[in-house]
Amino acid sequence: MKLAKKMLVSVLALAMVAALALTAFAATPTLTYTAGAAEVGKEVTITVSAKDMVGTETASIFFSFDAEALEFVSSKSVAKDAMGATGLVEGENTVSFALAYTNAAEGDDDLVVMTFKVLKAGDTTITGTVTEWTGAEQPADLTVTVKATEPTTAAPTTAAPTTAAPATEAPSEAPVAPTTGKEIAQTGEAGIAAIAGVMAIAAVAFVATRKKDEE
């Protein structure tokens, strides 16, 4: 009987030592963030994940960001076997997230996906502060950088205007030179002289005819 008790005590002691050893050598969970690049006016998605989550039971993370660079749009829990409360806005530049696993978490797991609207170009930082982590050692806080660029606009292509040369019609008749007053005067004088000459010739002929009749 005494031997059995000694063996039971020894087994319990070994179990406690083994549990402590496993706890001592268990990896500390690590938070990782994945952020895409986006243009101003568009949305960017941030995925928050954790590695080595073995034993995790609850987790709460507080996010802060530059409200002049980003605008919080929405978030959703993507953790496996966990109930999550996401997108609890606590100010214009802060959002909190909490989850509780129905069973102790195992391995790696995505926790939450957040969506922000980009307000200005440049690099901006989102900081995640762990406020609670039970069942496993609390991971360190982490920051993620969102790279935002100005929207790209293609230069408008404008075709050079095509203008046809104005069509000019050739004149159907040769232009008549204008008649000046001087030319009209000269034409009138020549006509008078011609008439005077004819009258003189007629008078000479008349006189000659009278003389002939008298003879």
Side-chain angles (χ1 to χ4, degrees), residues 99-183:
L99 64 85
Y101 280 88
T102 54
N103 297 305
E106 296 181 3
D108 306 335
D109 196 7
D110 292 335
L111 305 182
V112 62
V113 175
M114 298 184 294
T115 302
F116 293 87
K117 181 179 180 181
V118 178
L119 302 180
K120 69 177 183 180
D123 293 352
T124 184
T125 299
I126 299 176
T127 301
T129 303
V130 180
T131 57
E132 179 184 0
W133 200 283
T134 64
E137 189 173 349
Q138 181 170 305
D141 300 338
L142 190 65
T143 59
V144 61
T145 300
V146 176
K147 297 182 179 297
T149 58
E150 293 288 355
T152 55
T153 54
T157 56
T158 54
T162 55
T163 54
T168 55
E169 296 182 359
S172 57
E173 296 181 359
V176 179
T179 304
T180 61
K182 183 177 180 181
E183 291 175 347

Side-chain angles (χ1 to χ4, degrees), residues 11-211:
V11 170
L12 291 174
L14 289 172
M16 290 178 64
V17 171
L20 290 173
L22 289 174
T23 303
F25 289 101
T28 301
T30 304
L31 291 178
T32 59
Y33 293 68
T34 303
E39 296 180 352
V40 174
K42 296 185 177 180
E43 296 182 350
V44 61
T45 300
I46 312 296
T47 301
V48 183
S49 305
K51 293 183 178 298
D52 301 320
M53 291 188 65
V54 177
T56 299
E57 297 172 355
T58 63
S60 296
I61 309 174
F62 183 84
F63 299 98
S64 59
F65 54 91
D66 183 359
E68 294 184 357
L70 298 173
E71 177 185 348
F72 176 74
V73 177
S74 64
S75 65
K76 64 179 179 179
S77 173
V78 293
K80 297 188 295 289
D81 301 325
M83 298 177 292
T86 63
L88 301 179
V89 180
E90 300 183 15
E92 66 175 4
N93 67 331
T94 56
V95 179
S96 64
F97 163 75
L99 64 85
Y101 280 88
T102 54
N103 297 305
E106 296 181 3
D108 306 335
D109 196 7
D110 292 335
L111 305 182
V112 62
V113 175
M114 298 184 294
T115 302
F116 293 87
K117 181 179 180 181
V118 178
L119 302 180
K120 69 177 183 180
D123 293 352
T124 184
T125 299
I126 299 176
T127 301
T129 303
V130 180
T131 57
E132 179 184 0
W133 200 283
T134 64
E137 189 173 349
Q138 181 170 305
D141 300 338
L142 190 65
T143 59
V144 61
T145 300
V146 176
K147 297 182 179 297
T149 58
E150 293 288 355
T152 55
T153 54
T157 56
T158 54
T162 55
T163 54
T168 55
E169 296 182 359
S172 57
E173 296 181 359
V176 179
T179 304
T180 61
K182 183 177 180 181
E183 291 175 347
I184 294 174
Q186 290 177 353
T187 303
E189 291 175 359
I192 294 172
I195 293 171
V198 171
M199 291 179 65
I201 293 172
V204 172
F206 176 75
V207 172
T209 301
R210 287 288 302 272
K211 285 182 178 182

